[in-house]
Amino acid sequence: MLLAIDCGNTNTVFSIWDGEKFLATWRASTEHQRTADQYYVWLSTLMQMQKLDVTITEVIISSTVPRVVFNLRVFADRYFNTRPLVVGKPECALPVDVRVDAGTAVGPDRLVNTVAGYDLYGGDLIVVDFGTATTFDVVASDGAYIGGVIAPGVNLSLEALHQAAAALPHVDVTKPANVIGTNTVACMQSGVFWGYVGLVNGICEQIKAERDRPMRVISTGGLAPLFQQGHALFDKFEDDLTMHGLTVIHKYNKENPAL
Ligand SMILES: Nc1ncnc2c1ncn2[C@@H]1O[C@H](COP(=O)(O)OP(=O)(O)O)[C@@H](O)[C@H]1O
Ligand SMILES: CC(C)(COP(=O)(O)O)[C@@H](O)C(=O)NCCC(=O)O
Ligand SMILES: [K+]
């Protein structure tokens, strides 16, 4: 049984994959101080509560936070007696090329999304991931990651407004009824919501123009459905795109041990 771990700057998602389907998925906030023992207490409790009596034999990790990887490695080694595959490390081969400037360390989540998008839809894709940051990953016709765009995340933008301006409250993102807000909260929500619709539209259109070809736009991340509502920003929404990519990369490395 495979344990796939997707660690973002805000949340860390753990999924158990039986080779055909995910048996369970759990989410914890990302905290680099969390130890291997703490991960185990948390995970084994959830497994017991779900009466999931399985043996984890393999672990794959993608982490946008480098310093959590140490404790996750100890966790895999101590409790599952396995050396985890860590995306972005030389020993983890990818089934696609990465064509970026020399010396660039691409976020592993973006590589995993590229692999997942290519596996599900083929090439000429834009993958939009609404995480702490909102990333656009451009996938060439042969599946290569050829770069993209990093924009501030939706919640980060709202939080920045609240932090920087004394009179602006903390608000949650939602789709406002009108563009013209008639109170402070509605004005802030409008700025972020409609600003984001424009950002996503504009960036995707410019990427397509720069590539000079039609491209499919795939979205992932909890906030993607909010932006899809009535705006047809994306051709497809994939809830567990990153997790799917982790299983594809794991399989590829198992089938190509010499890589
Ligand atoms: N369904 C949702 N509704 C509202 N906010 C969400 C939802 N899912 C995630 N978020 C928020 O979106 C932000 C990004 O979350 P996540 O995708 O887990 O980020 P990361 O992968 O960078 O850790 C966080 O602020 C999180 O609280
Ligand atoms: C852009 C990111 C911060 C997004 O991370 P996330 O929002 O998933 O936590 C991450 O992919 C990252 O740290 N990238 C490194 C730089 C790059 O991808 O070019
Ligand atoms: K992410």
Side-chain angles (χ1 to χ4, degrees):
M1 215 60 74
L2 173 71
L3 174 64
I5 306 175
D6 165 27
C7 176
N9 281 284
T10 306
N11 290 312
T12 304
V13 184
F14 295 71
S15 282
I16 295 178
W17 173 251
D18 74 355
E20 281 174 11
K21 59 184 181 307
F22 291 110
L23 301 182
T25 294
W26 301 287
R27 197 174 276 264
S29 56
T30 300
E31 282 164 30
H32 71 266
Q33 300 95 328
R34 194 169 292 155
T35 66
D37 306 327
Q38 287 175 310
Y39 284 118
Y40 184 70
V41 168
W42 175 80
L43 192 76
S44 60
T45 306
L46 287 166
M47 285 175 70
Q48 275 165 26
M49 282 175 68
Q50 236 160 292
K51 302 202 179 351
L52 204 59
D53 187 16
V54 296
T55 307
I56 291 163
T57 50
E58 288 163 293
V59 177
I60 183 165
I61 300 167
S62 161
S63 178
T64 58
V65 185
R67 53 182 180 170
V68 302
V69 175
F70 175 80
N71 282 330
L72 286 172
R73 276 186 192 278
V74 177
F75 169 57
D77 176 55
R78 184 174 300 163
Y79 292 102
F80 309 121
N81 199 21
T82 183
R83 203 166 158 248
L85 205 51
V86 181
V87 179
K89 299 287 176 207
E91 66 276 11
C92 179
L94 292 178
V96 299
D97 272 350
V98 180
R99 296 200 283 270
V100 293
D101 298 348
T104 299
V106 181
D109 55 328
R110 308 179 71 192
L111 300 175
V112 177
N113 284 345
T114 297
V115 169
Y118 184 59
D119 182 68
L120 295 174
Y121 297 99
D124 290 325
L125 287 184
I126 303 168
V127 181
V128 188
D129 189 336
F130 291 84
T132 309
T134 299
T135 51
F136 296 69
D137 310 322
V138 181
V139 185
S141 49
D142 66 348
Y145 170 85
I146 56 166
V149 174
I150 300 172
V154 177
N155 285 312
L156 199 59
S157 307
L158 278 168
E159 197 49 35
L161 274 179
H162 166 55
Q163 293 290 337
L168 298 186
H170 168 84
V171 300
D172 290 324
V173 63
T174 182
K175 182 181 176 178
N178 303 301
V179 180
I180 303 170
T182 51
N183 58 69
T184 307
V185 169
C187 287
M188 291 171 71
Q189 283 169 336
S190 185
V192 170
F193 182 84
W194 293 109
Y196 244 80
V197 169
L199 178 146
V200 172
N201 246 326
I203 287 177
C204 289
E205 286 316 308
Q206 274 188 248
I207 290 172
K208 288 176 192 172
E210 218 165 277
R211 295 289 294 159
D212 198 18
R213 67 190 70 199
M215 299 183 81
R216 245 191 293 215
V217 184
I218 312 300
S219 68
T220 192
L223 290 170
L226 176 72
F227 289 97
Q228 181 69 340
Q229 284 175 41
H231 304 285
L233 291 177
F234 320 115
D235 296 305
K236 205 87 178 88
F237 165 66
E238 290 290 341
D239 203 7
D240 52 6
L241 188 73
T242 315
M243 275 300 161
H244 175 69
L246 284 173
T247 67
V248 174
I249 293 171
H250 174 259
K251 187 160 177 255
Y252 180 75
N253 280 266
K254 271 202 97 157
E255 288 171 355
N256 300 277
L259 287 169

